[in-house]
Amino acid sequence: MLPKRLQERPLPEEFARKLLVHSTNAKSGSLATGELHEVYSPYFSAPLGHVGVGSVEDVEKAFELARHAQKQWQERPIAARARVIKRFHDLVKKHSDLLADIVQLETGKDRTAAYDEVLDVMNNARYYANNAEKFLATSSKAGAFPVITSTTQQRVPKGIVGQISPWNYPLALGVSDAIAALIAGNGIVAKPDWQTPFSNLIALHLLLNAGLPHNLFQIVTGSGTVVGQAIAQRCDYLMFTGSTATGKLLGKVVGERLVGYSAELGGKNPMIISPDADVAKHADTIATACFSNSGQLCVSIERIYAHTEIYDEFLHAFKAATEKLTLGTGLNWNYSMGSLINQDQLDRVTAFLEDAVAKGATVVTGGKARPDVGPYHFEPTVLTDLGPDTDLETEEVFGPVVYVQRVESLEEAVELANDTNYGLNASVFGATETAERLAWQIETGSVTINDGYAATWASISTPLGGVKESGMARRHGPEGMTKYTEVKNIAQQRIMPMRGPKQLPRKYYGQLMTTALDLGKKLKFLP
């Protein structure tokens, strides 16, 4: 039996043991005999719990177990694999409060942001379980020539997918991508960030209760340099969400092995405010776009370009909307913005702010840590008048700090929006015709009109990801599942060989094929 709710205290010992037993560290014996890592919560000073410090040997054990289980799993019909995920969906719904509690205890985020993770898992589970047979079906394709050639496309699982997930959305990013890989017939070896391992472990617990074969999904807790590197050196495909710097390092590892790679990396996401934007209507939405999860969100907005015609009106409304956000703590719905995850993140945000102020920036609102609320709380902060060479003008803060810049034209706004090495998400507020025109010009993987990011993220039927140094490949949509497969082309020749009857002279064969291809272009009877 799982508890219905948790409290702001260390995890109950029996509950923690029930989760830890699912880790490869426990299966290998290293959890009992090796070094332990204490996990802390932003809510209290005592350890929330502990996990094992994984080794290369633990990772090797994980791949050994997962590969054995995966061979049988891939033989199950797609519909049977999807049924497991449908049952998992229902268990996530049943235990939604418990899942949100674990996320909050590990991250300190507000309840809304924690529950967003629960909803994301349910969204992915429903979508891929309902559509897997369509996305993965063996299908007939047009052959080289009608009648004499038939071609079949088969999708084969990659094998074992490695997954390295971050701390900011530990439940959603710890299992939502894995759902598609599992239904596609793969096994998983995962490394959660060891600041937030229990969100990943509880998801695995529910998957097993839903009927997922034991050992198919392995979780190895440990450091990125040891466990993450070892996974990248052994997996058949790697899914990574995290910083651009780490993504590049992992890309080198899998690139040398010619292994597929999907990565969602950093961003410096822009927003454009057009003169025809309805600022009064959207001010609260814009504040949410910037400060959800205390800004610790890869797709959140960090820079805003407001047209001079609406700049003053916008800044006034945005300031007011930001100041309405309430800081808080605890496993409840009574506040709109929670904690940063730890002291390092608080120090990072503080350093960016101090650099900006030292170089001439004006603090419109916010700008202070709030130890009276919690040890890592920081006020939602709006800046203007950035000076030259301000660090946060181009670098990702990953915290509740955004700057607003006046622009003389929408062309200037687009130019500034694109003047970055990143290209993950962007947002445009304005009348439909204006906003759509701007959206086509912005160089990002997604653009959200009259919203910050939620509309694009939740539209799961459409692939989502970054361009430039914000990533490669996509999650969501058919590609979010088919990327975990290899395409096999099975062609069958009938009636006669592709080079024609053996009695046909080679010269005539060449002339015949040239004529056939020319007619195929004109009459469009060839693929």
PDB file of all heavy atoms in Angstrom, residues 127-160:
ATOM      1  N   TYR A 127      -1.743   9.565 -24.964  1.00  0.00           N
ATOM      2  CA  TYR A 127      -1.488   9.816 -26.380  1.00  0.00           C
ATOM      3  C   TYR A 127      -0.753   8.647 -27.037  1.00  0.00           C
ATOM      4  O   TYR A 127      -1.177   8.155 -28.106  1.00  0.00           O
ATOM      5  CB  TYR A 127      -0.680  11.105 -26.537  1.00  0.00           C
ATOM      6  CG  TYR A 127      -0.244  11.400 -27.948  1.00  0.00           C
ATOM      7  CD1 TYR A 127      -1.160  11.829 -28.903  1.00  0.00           C
ATOM      8  CD2 TYR A 127       1.081  11.252 -28.331  1.00  0.00           C
ATOM      9  CE1 TYR A 127      -0.771  12.100 -30.211  1.00  0.00           C
ATOM     10  CE2 TYR A 127       1.485  11.528 -29.626  1.00  0.00           C
ATOM     11  CZ  TYR A 127       0.560  11.940 -30.570  1.00  0.00           C
ATOM     12  OH  TYR A 127       0.960  12.204 -31.862  1.00  0.00           O
ATOM     13  N   TYR A 128       0.316   8.195 -26.414  1.00  0.00           N
ATOM     14  CA  TYR A 128       1.102   7.141 -27.059  1.00  0.00           C
ATOM     15  C   TYR A 128       0.436   5.772 -26.954  1.00  0.00           C
ATOM     16  O   TYR A 128       0.526   4.962 -27.879  1.00  0.00           O
ATOM     17  CB  TYR A 128       2.525   7.129 -26.499  1.00  0.00           C
ATOM     18  CG  TYR A 128       3.345   8.273 -27.050  1.00  0.00           C
ATOM     19  CD1 TYR A 128       3.824   9.285 -26.229  1.00  0.00           C
ATOM     20  CD2 TYR A 128       3.587   8.373 -28.413  1.00  0.00           C
ATOM     21  CE1 TYR A 128       4.549  10.357 -26.746  1.00  0.00           C
ATOM     22  CE2 TYR A 128       4.311   9.435 -28.944  1.00  0.00           C
ATOM     23  CZ  TYR A 128       4.782  10.420 -28.114  1.00  0.00           C
ATOM     24  OH  TYR A 128       5.478  11.483 -28.640  1.00  0.00           O
ATOM     25  N   ALA A 129      -0.266   5.504 -25.857  1.00  0.00           N
ATOM     26  CA  ALA A 129      -0.984   4.235 -25.763  1.00  0.00           C
ATOM     27  C   ALA A 129      -2.110   4.160 -26.796  1.00  0.00           C
ATOM     28  O   ALA A 129      -2.352   3.100 -27.392  1.00  0.00           O
ATOM     29  CB  ALA A 129      -1.553   4.055 -24.355  1.00  0.00           C
ATOM     30  N   ASN A 130      -2.775   5.277 -27.033  1.00  0.00           N
ATOM     31  CA  ASN A 130      -3.877   5.297 -28.005  1.00  0.00           C
ATOM     32  C   ASN A 130      -3.417   5.289 -29.452  1.00  0.00           C
ATOM     33  O   ASN A 130      -4.164   4.858 -30.339  1.00  0.00           O
ATOM     34  CB  ASN A 130      -4.765   6.517 -27.767  1.00  0.00           C
ATOM     35  CG  ASN A 130      -5.649   6.386 -26.551  1.00  0.00           C
ATOM     36  OD1 ASN A 130      -5.800   5.289 -25.992  1.00  0.00           O
ATOM     37  ND2 ASN A 130      -6.233   7.479 -26.104  1.00  0.00           N
ATOM     38  N   ASN A 131      -2.202   5.769 -29.716  1.00  0.00           N
ATOM     39  CA  ASN A 131      -1.752   5.945 -31.108  1.00  0.00           C
ATOM     40  C   ASN A 131      -0.604   5.024 -31.509  1.00  0.00           C
ATOM     41  O   ASN A 131      -0.165   5.070 -32.661  1.00  0.00           O
ATOM     42  CB  ASN A 131      -1.325   7.398 -31.329  1.00  0.00           C
ATOM     43  CG  ASN A 131      -2.502   8.358 -31.331  1.00  0.00           C
ATOM     44  OD1 ASN A 131      -3.240   8.454 -32.299  1.00  0.00           O
ATOM     45  ND2 ASN A 131      -2.687   9.064 -30.218  1.00  0.00           N
ATOM     46  N   ALA A 132      -0.129   4.207 -30.591  1.00  0.00           N
ATOM     47  CA  ALA A 132       1.072   3.408 -30.871  1.00  0.00           C
ATOM     48  C   ALA A 132       0.906   2.491 -32.065  1.00  0.00           C
ATOM     49  O   ALA A 132       1.816   2.363 -32.904  1.00  0.00           O
ATOM     50  CB  ALA A 132       1.445   2.594 -29.630  1.00  0.00           C
ATOM     51  N   GLU A 133      -0.243   1.826 -32.161  1.00  0.00           N
ATOM     52  CA  GLU A 133      -0.413   0.885 -33.272  1.00  0.00           C
ATOM     53  C   GLU A 133      -0.348   1.610 -34.624  1.00  0.00           C
ATOM     54  O   GLU A 133       0.183   1.066 -35.599  1.00  0.00           O
ATOM     55  CB  GLU A 133      -1.739   0.143 -33.123  1.00  0.00           C
ATOM     56  CG  GLU A 133      -1.730  -0.858 -31.969  1.00  0.00           C
ATOM     57  CD  GLU A 133      -2.997  -1.690 -31.910  1.00  0.00           C
ATOM     58  OE1 GLU A 133      -4.001  -1.189 -31.373  1.00  0.00           O
ATOM     59  OE2 GLU A 133      -2.965  -2.837 -32.418  1.00  0.00           O
ATOM     60  N   LYS A 134      -0.849   2.822 -34.679  1.00  0.00           N
ATOM     61  CA  LYS A 134      -0.780   3.610 -35.922  1.00  0.00           C
ATOM     62  C   LYS A 134       0.653   4.033 -36.219  1.00  0.00           C
ATOM     63  O   LYS A 134       1.124   3.931 -37.359  1.00  0.00           O
ATOM     64  CB  LYS A 134      -1.688   4.829 -35.810  1.00  0.00           C
ATOM     65  CG  LYS A 134      -1.659   5.748 -37.018  1.00  0.00           C
ATOM     66  CD  LYS A 134      -2.693   6.851 -36.907  1.00  0.00           C
ATOM     67  CE  LYS A 134      -2.430   7.780 -35.751  1.00  0.00           C
ATOM     68  NZ  LYS A 134      -3.386   8.913 -35.690  1.00  0.00           N
ATOM     69  N   PHE A 135       1.365   4.504 -35.194  1.00  0.00           N
ATOM     70  CA  PHE A 135       2.723   5.010 -35.410  1.00  0.00           C
ATOM     71  C   PHE A 135       3.720   3.887 -35.726  1.00  0.00           C
ATOM     72  O   PHE A 135       4.699   4.116 -36.436  1.00  0.00           O
ATOM     73  CB  PHE A 135       3.208   5.758 -34.167  1.00  0.00           C
ATOM     74  CG  PHE A 135       2.433   7.010 -33.847  1.00  0.00           C
ATOM     75  CD1 PHE A 135       2.474   7.559 -32.571  1.00  0.00           C
ATOM     76  CD2 PHE A 135       1.663   7.650 -34.805  1.00  0.00           C
ATOM     77  CE1 PHE A 135       1.773   8.706 -32.265  1.00  0.00           C
ATOM     78  CE2 PHE A 135       0.948   8.809 -34.514  1.00  0.00           C
ATOM     79  CZ  PHE A 135       1.004   9.331 -33.230  1.00  0.00           C
ATOM     80  N   LEU A 136       3.493   2.713 -35.183  1.00  0.00           N
ATOM     81  CA  LEU A 136       4.478   1.631 -35.276  1.00  0.00           C
ATOM     82  C   LEU A 136       4.096   0.542 -36.266  1.00  0.00           C
ATOM     83  O   LEU A 136       4.854  -0.412 -36.457  1.00  0.00           O
ATOM     84  CB  LEU A 136       4.683   0.995 -33.893  1.00  0.00           C
ATOM     85  CG  LEU A 136       5.151   1.930 -32.779  1.00  0.00           C
ATOM     86  CD1 LEU A 136       5.153   1.190 -31.442  1.00  0.00           C
ATOM     87  CD2 LEU A 136       6.545   2.479 -33.077  1.00  0.00           C
ATOM     88  N   ALA A 137       2.949   0.664 -36.898  1.00  0.00           N
ATOM     89  CA  ALA A 137       2.452  -0.403 -37.757  1.00  0.00           C
ATOM     90  C   ALA A 137       3.384  -0.668 -38.933  1.00  0.00           C
ATOM     91  O   ALA A 137       3.981   0.251 -39.508  1.00  0.00           O
ATOM     92  CB  ALA A 137       1.063  -0.037 -38.278  1.00  0.00           C
ATOM     93  N   THR A 138       3.508  -1.943 -39.265  1.00  0.00           N
ATOM     94  CA  THR A 138       4.175  -2.322 -40.502  1.00  0.00           C
ATOM     95  C   THR A 138       3.295  -1.880 -41.668  1.00  0.00           C
ATOM     96  O   THR A 138       2.088  -2.110 -41.668  1.00  0.00           O
ATOM     97  CB  THR A 138       4.398  -3.841 -40.544  1.00  0.00           C
ATOM     98  OG1 THR A 138       5.260  -4.207 -39.460  1.00  0.00           O
ATOM     99  CG2 THR A 138       5.023  -4.263 -41.858  1.00  0.00           C
ATOM    100  N   SER A 139       3.891  -1.233 -42.639  1.00  0.00           N
ATOM    101  CA  SER A 139       3.085  -0.632 -43.704  1.00  0.00           C
ATOM    102  C   SER A 139       3.680  -0.914 -45.073  1.00  0.00           C
ATOM    103  O   SER A 139       4.896  -1.092 -45.222  1.00  0.00           O
ATOM    104  CB  SER A 139       2.970   0.878 -43.496  1.00  0.00           C
ATOM    105  OG  SER A 139       4.251   1.474 -43.453  1.00  0.00           O
ATOM    106  N   SER A 140       2.808  -0.952 -46.072  1.00  0.00           N
ATOM    107  CA  SER A 140       3.248  -1.140 -47.454  1.00  0.00           C
ATOM    108  C   SER A 140       3.596   0.209 -48.061  1.00  0.00           C
ATOM    109  O   SER A 140       2.897   1.202 -47.844  1.00  0.00           O
ATOM    110  CB  SER A 140       2.137  -1.814 -48.273  1.00  0.00           C
ATOM    111  OG  SER A 140       1.859  -3.096 -47.763  1.00  0.00           O
ATOM    112  N   LYS A 141       4.657   0.234 -48.833  1.00  0.00           N
ATOM    113  CA  LYS A 141       5.087   1.447 -49.517  1.00  0.00           C
ATOM    114  C   LYS A 141       5.188   1.177 -51.009  1.00  0.00           C
ATOM    115  O   LYS A 141       5.301   0.024 -51.449  1.00  0.00           O
ATOM    116  CB  LYS A 141       6.448   1.917 -48.980  1.00  0.00           C
ATOM    117  CG  LYS A 141       6.471   2.219 -47.493  1.00  0.00           C
ATOM    118  CD  LYS A 141       5.629   3.416 -47.153  1.00  0.00           C
ATOM    119  CE  LYS A 141       5.696   3.747 -45.674  1.00  0.00           C
ATOM    120  NZ  LYS A 141       4.857   4.923 -45.317  1.00  0.00           N
ATOM    121  N   ALA A 142       5.192   2.226 -51.778  1.00  0.00           N
ATOM    122  CA  ALA A 142       5.341   2.081 -53.217  1.00  0.00           C
ATOM    123  C   ALA A 142       6.710   1.512 -53.546  1.00  0.00           C
ATOM    124  O   ALA A 142       7.727   1.970 -53.031  1.00  0.00           O
ATOM    125  CB  ALA A 142       5.149   3.431 -53.895  1.00  0.00           C
ATOM    126  N   GLY A 143       6.730   0.481 -54.410  1.00  0.00           N
ATOM    127  CA  GLY A 143       7.995  -0.107 -54.807  1.00  0.00           C
ATOM    128  C   GLY A 143       8.650   0.686 -55.931  1.00  0.00           C
ATOM    129  O   GLY A 143       8.141   1.729 -56.369  1.00  0.00           O
ATOM    130  N   ALA A 144       9.785   0.160 -56.395  1.00  0.00           N
ATOM    131  CA  ALA A 144      10.511   0.869 -57.454  1.00  0.00           C
ATOM    132  C   ALA A 144       9.654   1.012 -58.706  1.00  0.00           C
ATOM    133  O   ALA A 144       9.629   2.072 -59.341  1.00  0.00           O
ATOM    134  CB  ALA A 144      11.805   0.129 -57.775  1.00  0.00           C
ATOM    135  N   PHE A 145       8.921  -0.070 -59.071  1.00  0.00           N
ATOM    136  CA  PHE A 145       8.005  -0.033 -60.213  1.00  0.00           C
ATOM    137  C   PHE A 145       6.713  -0.738 -59.821  1.00  0.00           C
ATOM    138  O   PHE A 145       6.743  -1.751 -59.118  1.00  0.00           O
ATOM    139  CB  PHE A 145       8.629  -0.717 -61.438  1.00  0.00           C
ATOM    140  CG  PHE A 145       9.655   0.128 -62.130  1.00  0.00           C
ATOM    141  CD1 PHE A 145      11.000  -0.025 -61.842  1.00  0.00           C
ATOM    142  CD2 PHE A 145       9.276   1.083 -63.059  1.00  0.00           C
ATOM    143  CE1 PHE A 145      11.950   0.761 -62.465  1.00  0.00           C
ATOM    144  CE2 PHE A 145      10.217   1.875 -63.683  1.00  0.00           C
ATOM    145  CZ  PHE A 145      11.563   1.714 -63.378  1.00  0.00           C
ATOM    146  N   PRO A 146       5.593  -0.202 -60.257  1.00  0.00           N
ATOM    147  CA  PRO A 146       4.309  -0.830 -59.910  1.00  0.00           C
ATOM    148  C   PRO A 146       4.276  -2.291 -60.341  1.00  0.00           C
ATOM    149  O   PRO A 146       4.866  -2.685 -61.346  1.00  0.00           O
ATOM    150  CB  PRO A 146       3.287   0.006 -60.694  1.00  0.00           C
ATOM    151  CG  PRO A 146       3.964   1.322 -60.939  1.00  0.00           C
ATOM    152  CD  PRO A 146       5.420   1.001 -61.092  1.00  0.00           C
ATOM    153  N   VAL A 147       3.616  -3.100 -59.554  1.00  0.00           N
ATOM    154  CA  VAL A 147       3.353  -4.523 -59.807  1.00  0.00           C
ATOM    155  C   VAL A 147       4.588  -5.388 -59.581  1.00  0.00           C
ATOM    156  O   VAL A 147       4.546  -6.361 -58.837  1.00  0.00           O
ATOM    157  CB  VAL A 147       2.790  -4.766 -61.226  1.00  0.00           C
ATOM    158  CG1 VAL A 147       2.486  -6.252 -61.422  1.00  0.00           C
ATOM    159  CG2 VAL A 147       1.541  -3.924 -61.457  1.00  0.00           C
ATOM    160  N   ILE A 148       5.724  -5.035 -60.208  1.00  0.00           N
ATOM    161  CA  ILE A 148       6.856  -5.958 -60.134  1.00  0.00           C
ATOM    162  C   ILE A 148       7.671  -5.817 -58.844  1.00  0.00           C
ATOM    163  O   ILE A 148       8.474  -6.698 -58.537  1.00  0.00           O
ATOM    164  CB  ILE A 148       7.786  -5.803 -61.360  1.00  0.00           C
ATOM    165  CG1 ILE A 148       8.485  -4.440 -61.355  1.00  0.00           C
ATOM    166  CG2 ILE A 148       7.040  -6.032 -62.653  1.00  0.00           C
ATOM    167  CD1 ILE A 148       9.554  -4.320 -62.437  1.00  0.00           C
ATOM    168  N   THR A 149       7.479  -4.722 -58.101  1.00  0.00           N
ATOM    169  CA  THR A 149       8.196  -4.540 -56.843  1.00  0.00           C
ATOM    170  C   THR A 149       7.210  -4.155 -55.749  1.00  0.00           C
ATOM    171  O   THR A 149       6.408  -3.240 -55.936  1.00  0.00           O
ATOM    172  CB  THR A 149       9.263  -3.437 -56.954  1.00  0.00           C
ATOM    173  OG1 THR A 149      10.095  -3.689 -58.085  1.00  0.00           O
ATOM    174  CG2 THR A 149      10.122  -3.403 -55.686  1.00  0.00           C
ATOM    175  N   SER A 150       7.262  -4.858 -54.635  1.00  0.00           N
ATOM    176  CA  SER A 150       6.480  -4.476 -53.455  1.00  0.00           C
ATOM    177  C   SER A 150       7.449  -4.178 -52.313  1.00  0.00           C
ATOM    178  O   SER A 150       8.491  -4.819 -52.182  1.00  0.00           O
ATOM    179  CB  SER A 150       5.518  -5.590 -53.045  1.00  0.00           C
ATOM    180  OG  SER A 150       6.222  -6.735 -52.592  1.00  0.00           O
ATOM    181  N   THR A 151       7.113  -3.188 -51.505  1.00  0.00           N
ATOM    182  CA  THR A 151       7.992  -2.773 -50.409  1.00  0.00           C
ATOM    183  C   THR A 151       7.198  -2.658 -49.119  1.00  0.00           C
ATOM    184  O   THR A 151       6.083  -2.133 -49.112  1.00  0.00           O
ATOM    185  CB  THR A 151       8.645  -1.411 -50.719  1.00  0.00           C
ATOM    186  OG1 THR A 151       9.319  -1.483 -51.969  1.00  0.00           O
ATOM    187  CG2 THR A 151       9.656  -1.039 -49.642  1.00  0.00           C
ATOM    188  N   THR A 152       7.793  -3.154 -48.044  1.00  0.00           N
ATOM    189  CA  THR A 152       7.191  -3.101 -46.715  1.00  0.00           C
ATOM    190  C   THR A 152       8.127  -2.373 -45.777  1.00  0.00           C
ATOM    191  O   THR A 152       9.346  -2.603 -45.787  1.00  0.00           O
ATOM    192  CB  THR A 152       6.911  -4.510 -46.175  1.00  0.00           C
ATOM    193  OG1 THR A 152       6.018  -5.180 -47.067  1.00  0.00           O
ATOM    194  CG2 THR A 152       6.288  -4.458 -44.781  1.00  0.00           C
ATOM    195  N   GLN A 153       7.570  -1.470 -44.968  1.00  0.00           N
ATOM    196  CA  GLN A 153       8.347  -0.754 -43.946  1.00  0.00           C
ATOM    197  C   GLN A 153       8.019  -1.330 -42.571  1.00  0.00           C
ATOM    198  O   GLN A 153       6.871  -1.355 -42.165  1.00  0.00           O
ATOM    199  CB  GLN A 153       8.027   0.737 -43.968  1.00  0.00           C
ATOM    200  CG  GLN A 153       8.726   1.534 -42.867  1.00  0.00           C
ATOM    201  CD  GLN A 153       8.326   2.991 -42.884  1.00  0.00           C
ATOM    202  OE1 GLN A 153       8.718   3.734 -43.786  1.00  0.00           O
ATOM    203  NE2 GLN A 153       7.555   3.420 -41.903  1.00  0.00           N
ATOM    204  N   GLN A 154       9.036  -1.783 -41.895  1.00  0.00           N
ATOM    205  CA  GLN A 154       8.878  -2.331 -40.548  1.00  0.00           C
ATOM    206  C   GLN A 154       9.641  -1.460 -39.560  1.00  0.00           C
ATOM    207  O   GLN A 154      10.747  -0.992 -39.851  1.00  0.00           O
ATOM    208  CB  GLN A 154       9.413  -3.767 -40.492  1.00  0.00           C
ATOM    209  CG  GLN A 154       9.304  -4.410 -39.110  1.00  0.00           C
ATOM    210  CD  GLN A 154      10.039  -5.746 -39.048  1.00  0.00           C
ATOM    211  OE1 GLN A 154      10.820  -6.078 -39.948  1.00  0.00           O
ATOM    212  NE2 GLN A 154       9.805  -6.500 -38.001  1.00  0.00           N
ATOM    213  N   ARG A 155       9.065  -1.233 -38.385  1.00  0.00           N
ATOM    214  CA  ARG A 155       9.745  -0.488 -37.327  1.00  0.00           C
ATOM    215  C   ARG A 155      10.199  -1.461 -36.247  1.00  0.00           C
ATOM    216  O   ARG A 155       9.388  -2.201 -35.695  1.00  0.00           O
ATOM    217  CB  ARG A 155       8.843   0.598 -36.750  1.00  0.00           C
ATOM    218  CG  ARG A 155       8.609   1.735 -37.724  1.00  0.00           C
ATOM    219  CD  ARG A 155       8.117   2.994 -37.053  1.00  0.00           C
ATOM    220  NE  ARG A 155       8.077   4.108 -38.001  1.00  0.00           N
ATOM    221  CZ  ARG A 155       9.101   4.904 -38.277  1.00  0.00           C
ATOM    222  NH1 ARG A 155      10.263   4.713 -37.654  1.00  0.00           N
ATOM    223  NH2 ARG A 155       8.991   5.888 -39.149  1.00  0.00           N
ATOM    224  N   VAL A 156      11.503  -1.413 -35.952  1.00  0.00           N
ATOM    225  CA  VAL A 156      12.130  -2.324 -35.005  1.00  0.00           C
ATOM    226  C   VAL A 156      12.644  -1.527 -33.817  1.00  0.00           C
ATOM    227  O   VAL A 156      13.246  -0.450 -34.008  1.00  0.00           O
ATOM    228  CB  VAL A 156      13.305  -3.074 -35.681  1.00  0.00           C
ATOM    229  CG1 VAL A 156      13.945  -4.056 -34.717  1.00  0.00           C
ATOM    230  CG2 VAL A 156      12.816  -3.784 -36.945  1.00  0.00           C
ATOM    231  N   PRO A 157      12.429  -1.987 -32.594  1.00  0.00           N
ATOM    232  CA  PRO A 157      12.938  -1.239 -31.440  1.00  0.00           C
ATOM    233  C   PRO A 157      14.455  -1.044 -31.500  1.00  0.00           C
ATOM    234  O   PRO A 157      15.193  -1.899 -32.007  1.00  0.00           O
ATOM    235  CB  PRO A 157      12.556  -2.125 -30.243  1.00  0.00           C
ATOM    236  CG  PRO A 157      11.473  -3.013 -30.740  1.00  0.00           C
ATOM    237  CD  PRO A 157      11.725  -3.216 -32.203  1.00  0.00           C
ATOM    238  N   LYS A 158      14.915   0.097 -30.991  1.00  0.00           N
ATOM    239  CA  LYS A 158      16.355   0.351 -30.933  1.00  0.00           C
ATOM    240  C   LYS A 158      17.054  -0.681 -30.044  1.00  0.00           C
ATOM    241  O   LYS A 158      18.175  -1.093 -30.308  1.00  0.00           O
ATOM    242  CB  LYS A 158      16.619   1.746 -30.380  1.00  0.00           C
ATOM    243  CG  LYS A 158      16.207   2.885 -31.292  1.00  0.00           C
ATOM    244  CD  LYS A 158      17.246   3.165 -32.351  1.00  0.00           C
ATOM    245  CE  LYS A 158      16.915   4.442 -33.120  1.00  0.00           C
ATOM    246  NZ  LYS A 158      17.938   4.758 -34.143  1.00  0.00           N
ATOM    247  N   GLY A 159      16.412  -1.031 -28.924  1.00  0.00           N
ATOM    248  CA  GLY A 159      17.028  -1.944 -27.962  1.00  0.00           C
ATOM    249  C   GLY A 159      16.898  -1.397 -26.559  1.00  0.00           C
ATOM    250  O   GLY A 159      15.849  -1.449 -25.941  1.00  0.00           O
ATOM    251  N   ILE A 160      17.990  -0.807 -26.052  1.00  0.00           N
ATOM    252  CA  ILE A 160      17.975  -0.188 -24.731  1.00  0.00           C
ATOM    253  C   ILE A 160      18.214   1.311 -24.889  1.00  0.00           C
ATOM    254  O   ILE A 160      19.248   1.740 -25.404  1.00  0.00           O
ATOM    255  CB  ILE A 160      19.047  -0.779 -23.791  1.00  0.00           C
ATOM    256  CG1 ILE A 160      18.851  -2.290 -23.670  1.00  0.00           C
ATOM    257  CG2 ILE A 160      18.959  -0.121 -22.415  1.00  0.00           C
ATOM    258  CD1 ILE A 160      17.497  -2.712 -23.128  1.00  0.00           C
TER     259      ILE A 160
END
